[in-house]
Coordinates of all heavy atoms in Angstrom, one line a residue:
M66 N 74.4 95.6 97.2 CA 74.7 97.0 97.4 C 74.0 97.5 98.7 O 72.8 97.2 98.9 CB 74.3 97.8 96.2 CG 74.5 99.3 96.3 SD 74.0 100.4 95.0 CE 74.6 99.6 93.5
S67 N 74.7 98.2 99.5 CA 74.1 98.7 100.8 C 73.1 99.8 100.5 O 73.2 100.5 99.5 CB 75.1 99.2 101.8 OG 75.7 100.4 101.3
A68 N 72.2 100.0 101.4 CA 71.2 101.1 101.3 C 71.8 102.4 101.2 O 71.4 103.3 100.4 CB 70.2 101.0 102.4
S69 N 72.8 102.7 102.0 CA 73.5 104.0 102.0 C 74.2 104.2 100.7 O 74.2 105.3 100.2 CB 74.4 104.1 103.2 OG 75.5 103.2 103.1
K70 N 74.9 103.2 100.2 CA 75.6 103.3 98.9 C 74.5 103.6 97.8 O 74.8 104.4 96.9 CB 76.4 102.1 98.6 CG 77.3 102.2 97.4 CD 78.2 101.1 97.2 CE 79.1 101.3 96.0 NZ 80.1 100.1 95.9
S71 N 73.4 102.9 97.8 CA 72.4 103.1 96.8 C 71.8 104.5 96.9 O 71.6 105.2 95.9 CB 71.3 102.1 97.0 OG 70.2 102.3 96.1
A72 N 71.6 105.0 98.1 CA 71.1 106.4 98.3 C 72.1 107.4 97.8 O 71.7 108.4 97.2 CB 70.8 106.6 99.8
Y73 N 73.4 107.1 98.1 CA 74.4 108.0 97.6 C 74.4 108.1 96.1 O 74.5 109.2 95.5 CB 75.8 107.6 98.1 CG 77.0 108.3 97.5 CD1 77.3 109.6 97.9 CD2 77.7 107.7 96.5 CE1 78.3 110.3 97.3 CE2 78.8 108.4 95.9 CZ 79.1 109.7 96.3 OH 80.1 110.3 95.8
L74 N 74.4 107.0 95.4 CA 74.4 106.9 94.0 C 73.2 107.6 93.4 O 73.3 108.2 92.3 CB 74.6 105.5 93.5 CG 75.9 104.8 93.8 CD1 76.0 103.4 93.4 CD2 77.1 105.6 93.2
T75 N 72.0 107.4 94.0 CA 70.8 108.0 93.5 C 70.9 109.6 93.6 O 70.6 110.3 92.7 CB 69.6 107.5 94.3 OG1 69.5 106.1 94.1 CG2 68.3 108.2 93.9
A76 N 71.4 110.0 94.8 CA 71.6 111.5 95.0 C 72.6 112.0 94.0 O 72.4 113.1 93.5 CB 72.0 111.8 96.4
L77 N 73.7 111.3 93.8 CA 74.7 111.8 92.9 C 74.2 111.8 91.5 O 74.5 112.8 90.7 CB 75.9 110.8 93.0 CG 77.2 111.2 92.2 CD1 77.7 112.6 92.7 CD2 78.3 110.2 92.4
S78 N 73.4 110.9 91.1 CA 72.8 110.9 89.7 C 71.9 112.1 89.5 O 71.9 112.7 88.5 CB 72.0 109.6 89.5 OG 71.4 109.6 88.3
E79 N 71.1 112.4 90.6 CA 70.2 113.6 90.5 C 71.1 114.9 90.4 O 70.7 115.8 89.7 CB 69.3 113.6 91.7 CG 68.3 112.5 91.7 CD 67.5 112.5 93.0 OE1 67.7 113.3 93.9 OE2 66.7 111.5 93.1
H80 N 72.2 114.9 91.2 CA 73.1 116.1 91.1 C 73.7 116.3 89.8 O 73.7 117.4 89.2 CB 74.1 115.9 92.2 CG 75.1 117.0 92.2 ND1 74.9 118.3 92.7 CD2 76.4 117.0 91.9 CE1 75.9 119.0 92.5 NE2 76.9 118.3 92.1
I81 N 74.1 115.2 89.2 CA 74.7 115.2 87.8 C 73.7 115.7 86.8 O 74.0 116.5 85.9 CB 75.3 113.9 87.4 CG1 76.6 113.6 88.3 CG2 75.7 113.8 86.0 CD1 77.1 112.2 88.2
D82 N 72.5 115.2 86.9 CA 71.4 115.6 86.0 C 71.2 117.1 86.1 O 71.0 117.8 85.1 CB 70.1 114.9 86.3 CG 70.1 113.4 85.9 OD1 71.0 113.0 85.1 OD2 69.2 112.7 86.3
Q83 N 71.2 117.6 87.3 CA 71.0 119.1 87.6 C 72.2 119.9 87.0 O 72.0 120.9 86.4 CB 70.8 119.4 89.1 CG 70.5 120.8 89.3 CD 69.2 121.3 88.8 OE1 68.2 120.6 88.9 NE2 69.2 122.4 88.1
C84 N 73.4 119.4 87.2 CA 74.6 120.1 86.6 C 74.5 120.1 85.1 O 74.8 121.1 84.4 CB 75.8 119.4 87.0 SG 76.3 119.7 88.7
E85 N 74.1 119.0 84.5 CA 73.9 119.0 83.0 C 72.8 120.0 82.5 O 73.0 120.7 81.5 CB 73.6 117.6 82.5 CG 74.7 116.6 82.6 CD 74.3 115.2 82.2 OE1 73.1 114.8 82.4 OE2 75.2 114.5 81.7
Y86 N 71.7 120.0 83.2 CA 70.7 121.0 82.9 C 71.2 122.4 83.0 O 71.0 123.3 82.1 CB 69.5 120.8 83.8 CG 68.4 121.8 83.6 CD1 67.5 121.7 82.6 CD2 68.3 123.0 84.4 CE1 66.5 122.7 82.4 CE2 67.4 123.9 84.2 CZ 66.5 123.8 83.2 OH 65.5 124.7 83.0
D87 N 72.0 122.7 84.1 CA 72.5 124.1 84.3 C 73.5 124.4 83.2 O 73.5 125.5 82.6 CB 73.2 124.2 85.6 CG 72.3 124.1 86.8 OD1 71.0 124.3 86.6 OD2 72.8 123.9 87.9
L88 N 74.3 123.5 82.8 CA 75.3 123.7 81.7 C 74.6 124.0 80.4 O 75.0 124.8 79.6 CB 76.3 122.6 81.6 CG 77.3 122.5 82.7 CD1 78.1 121.2 82.6 CD2 78.2 123.7 82.7
K89 N 73.5 123.2 80.1 CA 72.8 123.5 78.9 C 72.1 124.8 78.9 O 72.1 125.5 77.9 CB 71.7 122.4 78.7 CG 72.2 121.0 78.3 CD 71.1 120.0 78.2 CE 71.7 118.6 77.9 NZ 70.7 117.6 77.9
S90 N 71.6 125.3 80.0 CA 71.0 126.6 80.1 C 72.1 127.7 79.9 O 71.9 128.7 79.2 CB 70.4 126.8 81.5 OG 69.3 125.9 81.7
L91 N 73.3 127.5 80.5 CA 74.4 128.4 80.4 C 74.8 128.5 78.9 O 75.1 129.6 78.4 CB 75.5 128.1 81.3 CG 75.2 128.4 82.8 CD1 76.2 127.6 83.7 CD2 75.2 129.9 83.1
R92 N 74.9 127.4 78.2 CA 75.3 127.3 76.8 C 74.3 128.1 76.0 O 74.7 128.9 75.1 CB 75.4 125.9 76.3 CG 75.8 125.8 74.9 CD 76.0 124.4 74.4 NE 75.1 123.5 74.9 CZ 75.1 122.2 74.8 NH1 76.1 121.7 74.1 NH2 74.2 121.4 75.3
E93 N 73.0 128.0 76.3 CA 72.0 128.7 75.6 C 72.1 130.2 75.8 O 72.0 131.0 74.9 CB 70.6 128.2 76.0 CG 69.5 128.8 75.2 CD 68.1 128.3 75.7 OE1 68.0 127.0 75.8 OE2 67.2 129.1 75.9
M94 N 72.4 130.6 77.0 CA 72.7 132.0 77.3 C 73.9 132.6 76.6 O 73.8 133.7 76.1 CB 72.9 132.2 78.8 CG 71.7 132.1 79.7 SD 72.2 132.4 81.4 CE 70.8 131.5 82.2
L95 N 74.9 131.8 76.5 CA 76.1 132.2 75.8 C 75.9 132.4 74.3 O 76.4 133.3 73.7 CB 77.3 131.2 76.0 CG 78.6 131.4 75.3 CD1 79.2 132.8 75.8 CD2 79.6 130.3 75.5
S96 N 75.0 131.6 73.7 CA 74.7 131.7 72.3 C 73.9 133.0 72.0 O 73.9 133.4 70.9 CB 74.0 130.5 71.8 OG 72.6 130.5 72.3
K97 N 73.3 133.5 73.0 CA 72.5 134.8 72.9 C 73.3 136.0 73.1 O 72.8 137.1 72.9 CB 71.3 134.7 73.8 CG 70.3 133.6 73.4 CD 69.2 133.6 74.4 CE 68.2 132.5 74.0 NZ 67.1 132.5 74.9
G98 N 74.6 135.9 73.6 CA 75.3 137.1 73.8 C 76.5 136.8 74.8 O 76.8 135.7 75.1
K99 N 77.2 137.9 75.1 CA 78.4 137.8 75.9 C 78.1 137.4 77.4 O 77.1 137.8 77.9 CB 79.1 139.2 75.9 CG 80.4 139.2 76.5 CD 81.1 140.6 76.4 CE 82.4 140.6 77.0 NZ 83.1 141.9 76.9
F100 N 78.9 136.6 77.9 CA 78.8 136.2 79.3 C 79.3 137.3 80.3 O 80.3 137.9 80.0 CB 79.7 135.0 79.5 CG 78.9 133.7 79.6 CD1 77.7 133.5 79.1 CD2 79.5 132.6 80.3 CE1 77.0 132.3 79.2 CE2 78.9 131.4 80.4 CZ 77.6 131.2 79.8
S101 N 78.5 137.5 81.3 CA 79.0 138.4 82.3 C 80.0 137.7 83.2 O 80.1 136.4 83.1 CB 77.8 138.9 83.2 OG 77.3 137.8 84.0
R102 N 80.7 138.4 84.1 CA 81.7 137.8 85.0 C 81.0 136.8 85.9 O 81.5 135.7 86.2 CB 82.4 138.8 85.8 CG 83.5 138.3 86.6 CD 84.3 139.5 87.2 NE 85.4 138.9 87.9 CZ 85.6 138.9 89.2 NH1 84.6 139.4 90.0 NH2 86.6 138.4 89.8
L103 N 79.8 137.1 86.3 CA 79.0 136.2 87.2 C 78.6 134.9 86.5 O 78.8 133.8 87.0 CB 77.7 136.9 87.7 CG 76.8 136.1 88.6 CD1 77.6 135.6 89.9 CD2 75.6 136.9 89.0
K104 N 78.2 135.0 85.2 CA 77.9 133.8 84.4 C 79.1 133.0 84.2 O 79.1 131.7 84.2 CB 77.2 134.2 83.1 CG 75.8 134.7 83.3 CD 75.2 135.1 82.0 CE 73.9 135.8 82.2 NZ 73.3 136.3 80.9
Q105 N 80.3 133.6 84.0 CA 81.5 132.8 83.8 C 81.9 132.1 85.1 O 82.2 130.9 85.0 CB 82.7 133.8 83.5 CG 82.6 134.4 82.1 CD 83.7 135.4 81.8 OE1 84.6 135.5 82.6 NE2 83.6 136.0 80.7
H106 N 81.7 132.7 86.2 CA 82.0 132.1 87.5 C 81.0 130.9 87.7 O 81.4 129.8 88.2 CB 81.9 133.1 88.6 CG 82.1 132.5 90.0 ND1 83.4 132.1 90.4 CD2 81.2 132.2 91.0 CE1 83.3 131.6 91.6 NE2 82.0 131.7 92.0
T107 N 79.8 131.1 87.4 CA 78.7 130.1 87.6 C 79.1 128.9 86.7 O 79.0 127.7 87.1 CB 77.4 130.6 87.2 OG1 77.0 131.7 88.0 CG2 76.3 129.6 87.3
T108 N 79.5 129.1 85.5 CA 79.9 128.0 84.6 C 81.1 127.3 85.1 O 81.1 126.0 85.1 CB 80.2 128.6 83.2 OG1 79.1 129.3 82.7 CG2 80.6 127.5 82.2
K109 N 82.1 128.0 85.6 CA 83.3 127.3 86.1 C 82.9 126.5 87.4 O 83.4 125.3 87.5 CB 84.3 128.3 86.5 CG 85.0 129.0 85.3 CD 86.0 130.0 85.8 CE 86.6 130.8 84.7 NZ 87.5 131.9 85.2
R110 N 82.1 127.0 88.2 CA 81.7 126.3 89.4 C 80.9 125.1 89.1 O 81.0 124.0 89.7 CB 80.9 127.2 90.4 CG 80.5 126.6 91.6 CD 81.6 126.2 92.5 NE 81.1 125.5 93.7 CZ 81.6 124.4 94.2 NH1 82.7 123.8 93.6 NH2 81.1 123.9 95.3
T111 N 80.0 125.2 88.1 CA 79.2 124.0 87.7 C 80.0 122.9 87.1 O 79.8 121.7 87.5 CB 78.1 124.5 86.7 OG1 77.3 125.5 87.3 CG2 77.2 123.3 86.3
L112 N 81.0 123.3 86.3 CA 81.9 122.3 85.7 C 82.7 121.6 86.9 O 82.9 120.4 86.8 CB 82.8 122.9 84.7 CG 82.2 123.3 83.4 CD1 83.1 124.1 82.5 CD2 81.8 122.0 82.6
Q113 N 83.2 122.4 87.8 CA 83.9 121.9 88.9 C 83.1 120.9 89.7 O 83.6 119.8 90.1 CB 84.4 123.0 89.9 CG 85.2 122.5 91.1 CD 85.6 123.6 92.0 OE1 85.2 124.8 91.8 NE2 86.3 123.3 93.0
M114 N 81.9 121.2 90.0 CA 81.0 120.3 90.7 C 80.7 119.0 89.9 O 80.7 117.9 90.5 CB 79.7 120.9 91.1 CG 79.8 122.0 92.1 SD 78.3 122.7 92.8 CE 77.2 122.9 91.3
L115 N 80.6 119.1 88.6 CA 80.4 118.0 87.8 C 81.6 117.1 87.8 O 81.5 115.8 87.9 CB 80.0 118.4 86.4 CG 79.6 117.3 85.4 CD1 78.4 116.6 85.9 CD2 79.2 117.9 84.0
I116 N 82.8 117.7 87.7 CA 84.0 116.9 87.7 C 84.2 116.2 89.1 O 84.5 115.0 89.1 CB 85.2 117.8 87.4 CG1 85.2 118.2 85.9 CG2 86.5 117.1 87.7 CD1 86.1 119.3 85.6
E117 N 83.9 116.9 90.2 CA 84.0 116.3 91.5 C 83.0 115.1 91.6 O 83.3 114.1 92.3 CB 83.8 117.3 92.6 CG 84.9 118.3 92.7 CD 84.6 119.5 93.6 OE1 83.5 119.6 94.1 OE2 85.5 120.4 93.7
S118 N 81.8 115.3 91.0 CA 80.8 114.2 91.1 C 81.3 113.0 90.3 O 81.1 111.8 90.8 CB 79.5 114.7 90.5 OG 79.0 115.7 91.3
A119 N 81.9 113.2 89.2 CA 82.5 112.1 88.4 C 83.6 111.4 89.1 O 83.6 110.1 89.1 CB 83.0 112.6 87.0
I120 N 84.4 112.1 89.8 CA 85.5 111.5 90.6 C 84.8 110.7 91.8 O 85.2 109.5 92.0 CB 86.4 112.6 91.2 CG1 87.2 113.2 90.1 CG2 87.3 112.0 92.3 CD1 88.0 114.4 90.5
G121 N 83.8 111.2 92.4 CA 83.1 110.5 93.5 C 82.5 109.2 93.0 O 82.5 108.2 93.6
L122 N 81.9 109.3 91.8 CA 81.2 108.2 91.2 C 82.3 107.1 90.8 O 82.0 105.9 91.0 CB 80.5 108.6 89.9 CG 79.6 107.6 89.2 CD1 78.6 107.0 90.2 CD2 79.0 108.2 88.0
A123 N 83.4 107.5 90.3 CA 84.5 106.6 89.9 C 85.0 105.8 91.2 O 85.4 104.7 91.0 CB 85.6 107.3 89.3
K124 N 84.9 106.4 92.3 CA 85.4 105.7 93.6 C 84.4 104.7 94.0 O 84.7 103.8 94.9 CB 85.6 106.8 94.7 CG 86.8 107.7 94.4 CD 87.0 108.6 95.5 CE 88.2 109.5 95.3 NZ 88.3 110.5 96.4
H125 N 83.1 104.7 93.6 CA 82.1 103.8 94.0 C 81.8 102.9 92.9 O 81.3 101.9 92.8 CB 80.9 104.5 94.5 CG 81.1 105.2 95.8 ND1 81.7 106.5 95.9 CD2 80.9 104.8 97.1 CE1 81.8 106.8 97.1 NE2 81.3 105.9 97.9

C-alpha cells in the first residue's frame, strides 16, 4: 500500500469516527426534544458526508 493511500485511509477513518460521534450527539439531542431546522440540516449534512465517505472507502 502506498503512503498516500495509507494516509487517505487514515484520514477517512478519522472523518468517519467524527461523523459517528456527531450523529450520536444529534440522536441524544433529538431524544431530549424537538429538532430545530438547523439541527435537521446538520443531521442531513452529516449523513451525506458519512455516505460519501463510505463510497470513497469502497473505491479503495
